[in-house]
């Protein structure tokens, strides 16, 4: 991977600079075995870096998946909240309408109640008498 290659390239560059610096002071003799040892060491370091990178990539993918799923849940919840807000607004409007109708009915009933109180001696008992006659006469009919 790119990160592993950069790390290996950096390590190789450091080793070559050390060799050049040492070469300026004294000329080292490197055997094939030493070179092979360095290559093996660098290969192991590269494998370790690759394993670490893959582990980190796996974690990032898991976090990304979790974020995506939670984002979808948040979007769904937002939609539900907006729906509830609209329902609440509609209910408040309906309640306001019902309250206005109730107030209007109360305003209409007040004069009727006052009128009924004023005429209680003549209208109300007459209504009761008529109602009783009608209900009793209807009960005897077969």
């Amino acid at each position: 991977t790119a990160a592993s290659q950069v790390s290996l390239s950096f390590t190789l560059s450091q080793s070559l600079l050390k060799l050049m610096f040492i070469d300026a002071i004294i000329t080292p003799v490197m055997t094939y075995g030493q070179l092979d040892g360095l290559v093996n060491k660098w290969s192991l370091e590269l494998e370790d870096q690759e394993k670490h990178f893959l582990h980190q990539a796996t974690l990032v993918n898991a976090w990304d998946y979790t974020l995506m799923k939670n984002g979808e849940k948040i979007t769904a919840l937002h939609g539900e909240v907006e729906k509830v807000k609209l329902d609440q607004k509609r209910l408040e409007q309906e309640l306001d309408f019902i309250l206005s109708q109730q107030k209007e009915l109360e305003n209409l009933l007040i004069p009727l109640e006052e009128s009924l109180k004023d005429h209680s001696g003549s209208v109300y008992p007459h209504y009761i008498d008529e109602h009783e006659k009608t209900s009793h006469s209807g009960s005897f009919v077969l």
Side-chain angles (χ1 to χ4, degrees):
T1 61
S4 299
Q5 289 175 349
V6 168
S7 176
L8 179 62
S9 175
F10 181 72
T11 307
L12 287 172
S13 299
Q14 284 181 327
S15 297
L16 289 175
L17 284 174
K18 287 178 186 175
L19 287 175
M20 286 182 197
F21 182 72
I22 293 172
D23 191 33
I25 299 172
I26 53 171
T27 306
V29 176
M30 183 179 283
T31 64
Y32 177 76
Q34 291 171 329
L35 180 61
D36 190 44
L38 281 175
V39 170
N40 286 337
K41 177 184 168 190
W42 293 335
S43 293
L44 291 175
E45 288 177 3
L46 180 61
E47 285 177 21
D48 286 343
Q49 291 294 324
E50 182 181 15
K51 286 178 187 175
H52 180 71
F53 175 80
L54 290 175
H55 176 71
Q56 291 296 320
T58 302
L59 289 176
V60 168
N61 283 337
W63 294 335
D64 184 55
Y65 178 78
T66 302
L67 287 173
M68 295 291 283
K69 286 297 178 185
N70 287 340
E72 291 170 3
K73 289 177 184 176
I74 288 170
T75 301
L77 284 174
H78 177 72
E80 290 295 319
V81 166
E82 291 302 315
K83 181 182 172 191
V84 167
K85 284 181 180 179
L86 289 174
D87 289 344
Q88 181 179 3
K89 186 176 182 180
R90 182 184 50 80
L91 287 173
E92 287 173 354
Q93 290 172 344
E94 288 179 14
L95 283 174
D96 288 343
F97 178 71
I98 290 170
L99 286 173
S100 70
Q101 283 184 328
Q102 182 179 3
K103 186 167 232 138
E104 188 177 327
L105 285 173
E106 286 174 359
N107 290 337
L108 291 173
L109 285 175
I110 289 173
L112 289 174
E113 288 173 349
E114 292 296 324
S115 173
L116 189 60
K117 285 180 187 175
D118 292 342
H119 298 42
S120 64
S122 60
V123 176
Y124 189 65
H126 177 70
Y127 171 75
I128 292 174
D129 290 340
E130 289 297 319
H131 181 67
E132 286 178 0
K133 288 179 188 176
T134 309
S135 63
H136 289 298
S137 64
S139 63
F140 293 111
V141 176
L142 293 176

